[in-house]
Amino acid sequence: MSAKSVRPLIVGIGGTVRSPSSSERVLTVALAAAEAAGARTVMLGGDLLSRLPIYNPNDAEHPPERSALVDAIREADGVIVSTPGYHGSLSGLIKNALDSLEPLRQDARPYLDGRAVGCIVVADGWQACGSALAHLRSIVHALRGWPTPLGATVNSALKPFDEAGALKEPWQVETVAQQVVAFAKMWRPPAA
Ligand SMILES: Cc1cc2nc3c(=O)[nH]c(=O)nc-3n(C[C@H](O)[C@H](O)[C@H](O)COP(=O)(O)O)c2cc1C
């Protein structure tokens, strides 16, 4: 856990450019559950992610949006990613955000090292829910993060929100968030 605080910092990445975005709404539910479990949270939603330029490894300087993302993840004790299922996988917006973590490669804690990562997918069918979740978990492994034991999928074709906009069955999403916070509280870096 960050030495700066006994409350772990959980950073949420997710959503789409459209409004209202169901994957962003679901991320809000997850971050509220993380706060209820004792965390501080920061949300990087579709608005910020849509202003991230496509990641270019040759960039000599980082645009401010990329620096904001990289700095937030560098400080994070845990991460939650909520993506829509697009053509059976993550959306390009979310993949670009994850590609944009490349500046963390040379850190003492590279990429998502030592962080639990809650993986959430919202899609119009179970097939994309499952395939996108598997793809997201593979990416988290590549970034050296620890996908939580439970991944959450929300099928938007089944009208998962009530008239007030609340997620009718939040248990999966809340459990993912609780697992991220529990891991952050347990994590001790390996002795140097
Ligand atoms: C370009 C595009 C591709 C999509 N591909 C799939 C898909 O392959 N399978 C599926 O179940 N839903 C698919 N969807 C539906 C979205 O996953 C679904 O509407 C999701 O809730 C959108 O997230 P949002 O509400 O945060 O924008 C697609 C939507 C778009 C716009």
Side-chain angles (χ1 to χ4, degrees), residues 35 49 93 101 106 111 120 124 129 133 149 158 164 172 187 189:
E35 288 188 11
L49 303 183
L93 188 81
L101 301 181
Q106 305 287 3
Y111 301 121
I120 301 171
D124 275 351
C129 282
L133 181 63
L158 300 180
Q172 276 190 57
W187 175 258

Side-chain angles (χ1 to χ4, degrees), residues 61-95:
E61 290 185 2
H62 297 301
E65 292 82 5
R66 189 183 299 148
S67 296
L69 171 69
V70 166
D71 290 348
I73 295 297
R74 194 170 268 141
E75 289 295 309
D77 300 298
V79 178
I80 300 174
V81 181
S82 176
T83 182
Y86 273 14
H87 303 150
S89 191
L90 286 71
S91 67
L93 188 81
I94 300 299
K95 183 62 167 67

Side-chain angles (χ1 to χ4, degrees), residues 47-72:
D47 184 44
L48 179 123
L49 303 183
S50 67
R51 286 184 277 115
L52 277 177
I54 294 291
Y55 183 70
N56 178 352
N58 289 344
D59 280 349
E61 290 185 2
H62 297 301
E65 292 82 5
R66 189 183 299 148
S67 296
L69 171 69
V70 166
D71 290 348

